[in-house]
Amino acid sequence: MTLPFSLQAQDYVRPAADLDRLVQELFAEIQSDEVAFEDVYETLLLYYQTPLNLNTASREELRGLLLLSETQISALLDHRQQLGPLLSLYELQSITGFEQLRSIYRVAPFVTVQSGNQNDARGPLWQRIRHEDNNALFLRYERGLQARRGYASPDTTSTGRPLSRYLGSPDKLLVRYRVSHTRDFSLGFTAEKDAGEPLVWEPGKGRLGADFYSAHFVVQERGWLKTLALGDYQLQFGQGLLLSSGLQVGKGAETITTLRRSSLGVRPYSSVLESSFFRGAAATVSLHKSVRATAFFSAKKVDANQQFATDSLAQFNTFSSGISTSGLHRTVTELANRQRLHEAIGGGNVTYTSLGGNFAAGATAVGTHYGMALQRRPEPYNQFEFRGKDNVALGVHYSYVLGNVLFFGETARSSSGGLGTVNGLLASLATNVEASVLYRRYDRNFHTFYGQAFGENTHNINESGLYLGLKVRPAPRWEVTGYYDQFWFPWLKYRVDAPSRGHDYLLRLSFAPTKTSQLYVQVRSRTKDQNADLTPVRPVPQPVPTERRSLLLFYDAAPLSTISLRTRLQGTHYREDGATLHTGFLLAQDATVRLNRYLRLSARYALFDTDDYDTRQYAFEQDVLYAFSVPALAGQGTRTYALAEVKCTRHLTLWLRYAATQYRHQQVISSGLEEIGGAIRSDIKAQARYTF
């Protein structure tokens, strides 16, 4: 069987990445606003714009794609060792595990096949930066079209106190420049102003026009110097227990490849999330052909409130009750908390990797110092949260391939004495059957600030659980995936005033009628304890089981090469302690038409009906490049958007997007400063990309 392309091997052109479809395959269902989707989306784009060279990529780099099984990776590495480098992407068909075209189509946009050292052949670094094809400037503008309460004229309360208002305009602005090349260099900067934030030039207060700036310069593969990062960067080692960044999928419809985290080390940062990065310098050096060492230091100011002790015997005279990660500085209060807390972090990692890559082990150390003590509110559920200014965490991690089984894990200890551990395995039980197992335990006094290992909680604390995953391909074009996750919380949580437990399971049946179409049905259920509403019968908070079940039907087809259609039907049932059943559903139809090589149009029409916010519906939407849209829809109404992509010249591409949510039986939308009078909420977005 051959790939349906009539191109010569060396002339193969990578297909465009369908990131929206890929993200929907990776994520089972969105049930929360807390996932950093922007970071996930931009990591996928980074892989597309700087593809991996299949002839030089390491095992860890191939794992980082999240699209290849361990069996496929091992087979590819064995093929390279025995037969030499690949001559073209077509050669994948002769490698075990790549017989199905679907697996090749999924990975094709993110990889390339090159021979020799391409960087040396292109001259000095400054010339490579100047002549790099992946060199672009982005300008983006966004604005909500309806007036929100936060932008109203200043007013006072009945007591004469001024009402809170946004200090800036409703315009959201972004400027981004990025030039990069795989295993060579990355250079970029970002400037962003969120809606409601003022454009102010006050250098003495650290306000230089836009509210957020980010910049980085990274060079790679300079002999013994493997990576040097200056400016903003991310770190990922082991299973992300101490240092984790980038693509973190968690529990999703991909039940095997996304379970294990990859030790990708130092990576450039160019996202607009204002809290999930390091600022300073990091370097990775090769101490031996099998040993690499990384050292890093970061110093930046983060958002936090400042409070003063009222008790003369208090441990801290001034302290902060928590760090804000929203990145929004629109009101007087938000500006007062802006960059109030100084954060300094330093540490390193040493990793040994066997020559074949089958075994790897390493150790990580992270020390954190805050200029002001952190002290949570004196609530029972906060009893074991971090208190103070300093924290040191030490950890070890490993991975080992034995036959068709990959073992992996990481264990760490923080200054408090709390332990965290996550261990698992991925196994190929047959050519068409894969399984995964993962156990994690995070003590109630385990503290890590930049860790994001697998778990149910937002942070790796106060949790233990066991995850079982399975993937079966019973016949060509058919695939069944599923998982079951049981978890426990030994101590209290926010809105859960007792130790609690829960479980989560998913089952998805997929069918690909053709190489350009896909149909799947998915069932998911999640049960967790949560405090019930207070009533005369229940005068004190008491945790009760809450159950959320959802059904998803999705069909993606391309009847013509220029037309793509997607239909999505999803519904949710939510029940608290066996009480009244609440329901919600969404029906969405998407269409994308490429009229010619210069114009591409996309649109959606969706209907939604939910009983309350507990049954709200989330659905991925196509957006301008580098943007991500997953609105939460609650109530009754319609959701529509239209997106146009226009390639004006070889260098200039424009995007224009309009989106609107029309509510029925509702004359007020949202609340607080975001409140809109009326039944419609709409926004526009425009973006220009100029490639050099």
Side-chain angles (χ1 to χ4, degrees):
M1 185 180 295
T2 59
L3 289 171
F5 297 113
S6 59
L7 300 176
Q8 297 298 320
Q10 298 302 322
D11 295 331
Y12 173 77
V13 178
R14 290 187 302 123
D18 192 342
L19 298 180
D20 299 288
R21 179 172 174 175
L22 178 58
V23 170
Q24 293 188 73
E25 291 182 12
L26 295 177
F27 286 96
E29 176 198 15
I30 302 175
Q31 296 184 346
S32 171
D33 298 301
E34 298 176 349
V35 180
F37 295 110
E38 295 88 349
D39 205 6
V40 172
Y41 206 64
E42 292 200 14
T43 301
L44 290 172
L45 278 168
L46 178 62
Y47 280 125
Y48 176 63
Q49 294 175 339
T50 56
L52 284 180
N53 183 356
L54 292 180
N55 285 330
T56 59
S58 66
R59 184 181 290 271
E60 281 297 315
E61 290 172 330
L62 292 169
R63 286 169 175 166
L65 283 174
L66 303 181
L67 302 177
L68 298 175
S69 69
E70 198 65 29
T71 301
Q72 290 175 316
I73 294 173
S74 295
L76 173 60
L77 295 177
D78 290 341
H79 182 91
R80 278 173 22 187
Q81 183 177 10
Q82 297 173 10
L83 302 178
L86 301 176
L87 299 179
S88 78
L89 194 67
Y90 302 102
E91 199 172 339
L92 286 177
Q93 297 172 89
S94 64
I95 301 177
T96 303
F98 290 92
E99 295 88 351
Q100 293 192 12
L101 290 180
R102 173 176 166 77
S103 61
I104 299 179
Y105 280 116
R106 289 185 70 191
V107 75
F110 307 100
V111 299
T112 184
V113 172
Q114 297 178 354
S115 59
N117 192 325
Q118 302 296 318
N119 296 336
D120 291 343
R122 299 179 63 193
L125 176 61
W126 68 270
Q127 289 186 0
R128 297 201 298 275
I129 293 176
R130 179 182 177 185
H131 298 294
E132 172 59 41
D133 295 333
N134 185 25
N135 190 337
L137 174 68
F138 288 83
L139 303 175
R140 185 190 302 165
Y141 172 82
E142 302 177 47
R143 183 181 178 116
L145 299 182
Q146 285 71 38
R148 289 166 167 78
R149 176 183 290 182
Y151 300 103
S153 301
D155 202 350
T156 58
T157 65
S158 57
T159 60
R161 298 182 59 185
L163 286 170
S164 179
R165 289 289 186 264
Y166 293 147
L167 302 177
S169 72
D171 305 308
K172 183 174 182 178
L173 307 173
L174 172 72
V175 178
R176 186 206 305 264
Y177 171 75
R178 180 80 181 271
V179 55
S180 59
H181 190 79
T182 308
R183 283 194 168 193
D184 191 4
F185 66 86
S186 178
L187 172 66
F189 70 84
T190 302
E192 184 199 41
K193 168 203 169 310
D194 287 308
E197 294 178 342
L199 283 170
V200 178
W201 185 262
E202 295 179 346
K205 298 182 179 180
R207 301 174 65 186
L208 306 173
D211 179 75
F212 175 70
Y213 289 94
S214 175
H216 73 268
F217 176 60
V218 176
V219 293
Q220 297 172 303
E221 300 299 332
R222 297 296 185 273
W224 58 270
L225 179 62
K226 296 304 178 181
T227 305
L228 173 64
L230 302 175
D232 296 344
Y233 58 91
Q234 292 181 312
L235 298 167
Q236 181 153 327
F237 294 102
Q239 295 306 301
L241 195 54
L242 298 182
L243 297 170
S244 178
S245 61
L247 186 54
Q248 309 299 336
V249 176
K251 290 184 285 188
E254 174 48 67
T255 58
I256 307 296
T257 61
T258 60
L259 195 64
R260 181 199 181 278
R261 304 288 165 82
S262 299
S263 290
L264 300 176
V266 183
R267 303 171 65 244
Y269 182 79
S270 61
S271 180
V272 293
L273 299 177
E274 300 183 23
S275 59
S276 60
F277 64 93
F278 299 96
R279 176 165 290 174
T284 299
V285 299
S286 177
L287 303 179
H288 182 269
K289 58 183 178 181
S290 297
V291 180
R292 291 190 178 187
T294 298
F296 70 93
F297 178 76
S298 169
K300 70 178 191 289
K301 293 182 178 180
V302 297
D303 295 348
N305 58 20
Q306 183 177 11
Q307 300 186 27
F308 299 91
T310 57
D311 187 349
S312 59
L313 300 179
Q315 182 179 2
F316 308 111
N317 294 326
T318 62
F319 61 92
S320 174
S321 62
I323 296 174
S324 173
T325 59
S326 70
L328 298 175
H329 309 108
R330 305 162 298 180
T331 65
V332 172
T333 300
E334 291 175 347
L335 276 174
N337 296 335
R338 181 179 184 267
Q339 299 183 1
R340 178 61 67 89
L341 179 63
H342 184 269
E343 174 192 77
I345 303 177
N349 172 270
V350 177
T351 297
Y352 166 83
T353 305
S354 64
L355 293 181
N358 289 342
F359 174 74
T364 305
V366 181
T368 305
H369 172 77
Y370 290 107
M372 177 171 53
L374 296 181
Q375 181 173 286
R376 299 274 187 169
R377 292 185 303 168
E379 301 287 348
Y381 64 86
N382 285 330
Q383 180 176 343
F384 297 96
E385 289 285 347
F386 175 78
R387 290 167 53 92
K389 296 183 178 182
D390 299 285
N391 183 59
V392 176
L394 305 174
V396 292
H397 58 86
Y398 69 92
S399 67
Y400 179 55
V401 179
L402 179 62
N404 293 327
V405 182
L406 166 66
F407 300 91
F408 59 90
E410 184 175 12
T411 300
R413 181 184 187 274
S414 60
S415 294
S416 61
L419 293 176
T421 186
V422 53
N423 298 273
L425 65 86
L426 308 180
S428 177
L429 305 181
T431 56
N432 60 340
V433 180
E434 298 174 79
S436 59
V437 180
L438 185 140
Y439 172 77
R440 75 270 190 189
R441 175 172 177 170
Y442 313 126
D443 288 348
R444 57 188 180 180
N445 62 333
F446 176 65
H447 304 133
T448 174
F449 304 114
Y450 282 85
Q452 199 176 9
F454 185 96
E456 179 70 18
N457 282 333
T458 306
H459 304 291
N460 298 141
I461 187 173
N462 183 37
E463 177 184 346
S464 60
L466 178 64
Y467 172 100
L468 305 173
L470 186 67
K471 178 188 292 186
V472 181
R473 291 176 289 274
R477 301 182 180 180
W478 288 89
E479 185 174 271
V480 180
T481 59
Y483 72 76
Y484 178 81
D485 187 39
Q486 180 81 42
F487 42 83
W488 301 265
F489 308 112
W491 186 245
L492 285 60
K493 297 174 55 184
Y494 175 65
R495 296 187 64 190
V496 186
D497 290 345
S500 58
R501 62 190 303 168
H503 63 267
D504 182 11
Y505 69 81
L506 172 144
L507 182 64
R508 175 183 284 192
L509 174 63
S510 302
F511 174 58
T514 68
K515 66 178 185 296
T516 60
S517 62
Q518 183 183 27
L519 171 67
Y520 62 76
V521 56
Q522 174 183 293
V523 178
R524 187 180 187 185
S525 176
R526 174 178 292 184
T527 301
K528 295 177 66 174
D529 289 342
Q530 183 174 299
N531 285 350
D533 295 334
L534 299 181
T535 64
V537 180
R538 189 185 286 128
V540 296
Q542 179 181 343
V544 298
T546 62
E547 183 181 42
R548 179 186 177 96
R549 291 185 176 180
S550 60
L551 174 67
L552 170 62
L553 297 173
F554 180 80
Y555 181 59
D556 183 353
L560 299 174
S561 60
T562 57
I563 299 177
S564 173
L565 301 175
R566 290 176 180 172
T567 304
R568 186 183 189 94
L569 174 62
Q570 59 189 52
T572 301
H573 284 172
Y574 180 85
R575 190 194 302 269
E576 180 180 297
D577 195 24
T580 304
L581 186 69
H582 300 264
T583 62
F585 82 89
L586 177 140
L587 174 62
Q589 178 62 57
D590 292 69
T592 299
V593 179
R594 182 171 291 279
L595 298 180
N596 51 53
R597 58 182 298 187
Y598 303 105
L599 180 61
R600 180 174 180 266
L601 302 176
S602 302
R604 163 178 290 180
Y605 181 81
L607 298 169
F608 63 92
D609 190 334
T610 74
D611 290 341
D612 50 29
Y613 193 69
D614 287 327
T615 55
R616 63 194 179 277
Q617 300 296 303
Y618 293 93
F620 297 96
E621 295 182 350
Q622 294 192 60
D623 210 320
V624 304
L625 187 63
Y626 271 114
F628 200 81
S629 179
V630 190
L633 302 174
Q636 297 82 39
T638 60
R639 171 71 177 179
T640 58
Y641 75 80
L643 171 67
E645 178 183 344
V646 184
K647 189 172 183 179
C648 302
T649 68
R650 189 169 69 91
H651 298 283
L652 179 63
T653 304
L654 302 178
W655 288 265
L656 181 63
R657 186 179 192 266
Y658 170 80
T661 306
Q662 177 77 49
Y663 293 90
R664 299 195 304 271
H665 319 301
Q666 189 172 327
Q667 294 304 314
V668 176
I669 302 173
S670 194
S671 60
L673 298 182
E674 287 293 294
E675 181 180 300
I676 296 173
I680 186 171
R681 175 167 52 195
S682 61
D683 60 84
I684 58 171
K685 186 180 300 183
Q687 178 171 281
R689 178 186 65 180
Y690 187 84
T691 57
F692 298 89

PDB file of all heavy atoms in Angstrom, residues 100 473-479 510-512:
ATOM      1  N   GLN A 100      -0.840   1.175   9.245  1.00  0.00           N
ATOM      2  CA  GLN A 100      -2.081   1.915   9.034  1.00  0.00           C
ATOM      3  C   GLN A 100      -1.764   3.350   8.624  1.00  0.00           C
ATOM      4  O   GLN A 100      -0.997   4.049   9.291  1.00  0.00           O
ATOM      5  CB  GLN A 100      -2.938   1.913  10.299  1.00  0.00           C
ATOM      6  CG  GLN A 100      -3.481   0.538  10.665  1.00  0.00           C
ATOM      7  CD  GLN A 100      -4.548   0.633  11.734  1.00  0.00           C
ATOM      8  OE1 GLN A 100      -5.036   1.718  12.050  1.00  0.00           O
ATOM      9  NE2 GLN A 100      -4.932  -0.504  12.284  1.00  0.00           N
ATOM     10  N   ARG A 473      -7.760  -1.899  18.628  1.00  0.00           N
ATOM     11  CA  ARG A 473      -8.140  -1.718  17.221  1.00  0.00           C
ATOM     12  C   ARG A 473      -8.645  -3.065  16.712  1.00  0.00           C
ATOM     13  O   ARG A 473      -7.868  -3.878  16.179  1.00  0.00           O
ATOM     14  CB  ARG A 473      -6.937  -1.222  16.421  1.00  0.00           C
ATOM     15  CG  ARG A 473      -6.519   0.196  16.756  1.00  0.00           C
ATOM     16  CD  ARG A 473      -5.257   0.622  16.017  1.00  0.00           C
ATOM     17  NE  ARG A 473      -4.088  -0.086  16.545  1.00  0.00           N
ATOM     18  CZ  ARG A 473      -3.388   0.311  17.592  1.00  0.00           C
ATOM     19  NH1 ARG A 473      -3.747   1.416  18.247  1.00  0.00           N
ATOM     20  NH2 ARG A 473      -2.338  -0.382  18.007  1.00  0.00           N
ATOM     21  N   PRO A 474      -9.944  -3.342  16.879  1.00  0.00           N
ATOM     22  CA  PRO A 474     -10.480  -4.672  16.549  1.00  0.00           C
ATOM     23  C   PRO A 474     -10.488  -4.976  15.062  1.00  0.00           C
ATOM     24  O   PRO A 474     -10.513  -6.143  14.669  1.00  0.00           O
ATOM     25  CB  PRO A 474     -11.903  -4.625  17.117  1.00  0.00           C
ATOM     26  CG  PRO A 474     -12.260  -3.170  17.112  1.00  0.00           C
ATOM     27  CD  PRO A 474     -10.983  -2.440  17.405  1.00  0.00           C
ATOM     28  N   ALA A 475     -10.500  -3.942  14.236  1.00  0.00           N
ATOM     29  CA  ALA A 475     -10.523  -4.122  12.785  1.00  0.00           C
ATOM     30  C   ALA A 475      -9.972  -2.860  12.152  1.00  0.00           C
ATOM     31  O   ALA A 475      -9.911  -1.802  12.795  1.00  0.00           O
ATOM     32  CB  ALA A 475     -11.951  -4.388  12.297  1.00  0.00           C
ATOM     33  N   PRO A 476      -9.533  -2.948  10.897  1.00  0.00           N
ATOM     34  CA  PRO A 476      -9.065  -1.733  10.228  1.00  0.00           C
ATOM     35  C   PRO A 476     -10.113  -0.627  10.289  1.00  0.00           C
ATOM     36  O   PRO A 476     -11.309  -0.878  10.106  1.00  0.00           O
ATOM     37  CB  PRO A 476      -8.813  -2.202   8.790  1.00  0.00           C
ATOM     38  CG  PRO A 476      -8.541  -3.659   8.910  1.00  0.00           C
ATOM     39  CD  PRO A 476      -9.415  -4.139  10.033  1.00  0.00           C
ATOM     40  N   ARG A 477      -9.665   0.588  10.602  1.00  0.00           N
ATOM     41  CA  ARG A 477     -10.503   1.790  10.668  1.00  0.00           C
ATOM     42  C   ARG A 477     -11.343   1.880  11.936  1.00  0.00           C
ATOM     43  O   ARG A 477     -12.020   2.883  12.153  1.00  0.00           O
ATOM     44  CB  ARG A 477     -11.412   1.912   9.441  1.00  0.00           C
ATOM     45  CG  ARG A 477     -10.657   1.983   8.123  1.00  0.00           C
ATOM     46  CD  ARG A 477     -11.615   2.145   6.964  1.00  0.00           C
ATOM     47  NE  ARG A 477     -10.901   2.217   5.694  1.00  0.00           N
ATOM     48  CZ  ARG A 477     -11.491   2.350   4.509  1.00  0.00           C
ATOM     49  NH1 ARG A 477     -12.809   2.419   4.441  1.00  0.00           N
ATOM     50  NH2 ARG A 477     -10.765   2.408   3.413  1.00  0.00           N
ATOM     51  N   TRP A 478     -11.308   0.853  12.792  1.00  0.00           N
ATOM     52  CA  TRP A 478     -12.064   0.877  14.044  1.00  0.00           C
ATOM     53  C   TRP A 478     -11.095   0.993  15.217  1.00  0.00           C
ATOM     54  O   TRP A 478     -10.012   0.411  15.205  1.00  0.00           O
ATOM     55  CB  TRP A 478     -12.904  -0.386  14.205  1.00  0.00           C
ATOM     56  CG  TRP A 478     -14.086  -0.454  13.292  1.00  0.00           C
ATOM     57  CD1 TRP A 478     -14.118  -0.973  12.034  1.00  0.00           C
ATOM     58  CD2 TRP A 478     -15.407   0.022  13.565  1.00  0.00           C
ATOM     59  NE1 TRP A 478     -15.384  -0.857  11.495  1.00  0.00           N
ATOM     60  CE2 TRP A 478     -16.195  -0.252  12.412  1.00  0.00           C
ATOM     61  CE3 TRP A 478     -16.011   0.646  14.660  1.00  0.00           C
ATOM     62  CZ2 TRP A 478     -17.539   0.083  12.338  1.00  0.00           C
ATOM     63  CZ3 TRP A 478     -17.355   0.970  14.588  1.00  0.00           C
ATOM     64  CH2 TRP A 478     -18.110   0.699  13.443  1.00  0.00           C
ATOM     65  N   GLU A 479     -11.508   1.742  16.228  1.00  0.00           N
ATOM     66  CA  GLU A 479     -10.687   1.887  17.430  1.00  0.00           C
ATOM     67  C   GLU A 479     -11.584   2.088  18.645  1.00  0.00           C
ATOM     68  O   GLU A 479     -12.551   2.853  18.602  1.00  0.00           O
ATOM     69  CB  GLU A 479      -9.733   3.066  17.284  1.00  0.00           C
ATOM     70  CG  GLU A 479      -8.754   3.224  18.445  1.00  0.00           C
ATOM     71  CD  GLU A 479      -7.733   4.316  18.193  1.00  0.00           C
ATOM     72  OE1 GLU A 479      -6.671   4.007  17.612  1.00  0.00           O
ATOM     73  OE2 GLU A 479      -8.009   5.486  18.556  1.00  0.00           O
ATOM     74  N   SER A 510     -14.498   4.706  17.838  1.00  0.00           N
ATOM     75  CA  SER A 510     -14.195   5.527  16.668  1.00  0.00           C
ATOM     76  C   SER A 510     -14.196   4.677  15.407  1.00  0.00           C
ATOM     77  O   SER A 510     -13.779   3.513  15.426  1.00  0.00           O
ATOM     78  CB  SER A 510     -12.826   6.198  16.818  1.00  0.00           C
ATOM     79  OG  SER A 510     -12.763   6.986  17.979  1.00  0.00           O
ATOM     80  N   PHE A 511     -14.633   5.306  14.314  1.00  0.00           N
ATOM     81  CA  PHE A 511     -14.628   4.649  13.010  1.00  0.00           C
ATOM     82  C   PHE A 511     -14.219   5.671  11.963  1.00  0.00           C
ATOM     83  O   PHE A 511     -14.729   6.793  11.940  1.00  0.00           O
ATOM     84  CB  PHE A 511     -16.016   4.088  12.687  1.00  0.00           C
ATOM     85  CG  PHE A 511     -16.134   3.508  11.299  1.00  0.00           C
ATOM     86  CD1 PHE A 511     -15.312   2.471  10.886  1.00  0.00           C
ATOM     87  CD2 PHE A 511     -17.067   4.011  10.395  1.00  0.00           C
ATOM     88  CE1 PHE A 511     -15.408   1.936   9.606  1.00  0.00           C
ATOM     89  CE2 PHE A 511     -17.174   3.488   9.117  1.00  0.00           C
ATOM     90  CZ  PHE A 511     -16.344   2.449   8.720  1.00  0.00           C
ATOM     91  N   ALA A 512     -13.257   5.287  11.125  1.00  0.00           N
ATOM     92  CA  ALA A 512     -12.772   6.172  10.061  1.00  0.00           C
ATOM     93  C   ALA A 512     -13.181   5.582   8.721  1.00  0.00           C
ATOM     94  O   ALA A 512     -12.473   4.727   8.168  1.00  0.00           O
ATOM     95  CB  ALA A 512     -11.264   6.328  10.144  1.00  0.00           C
TER      96      ALA A 512
END
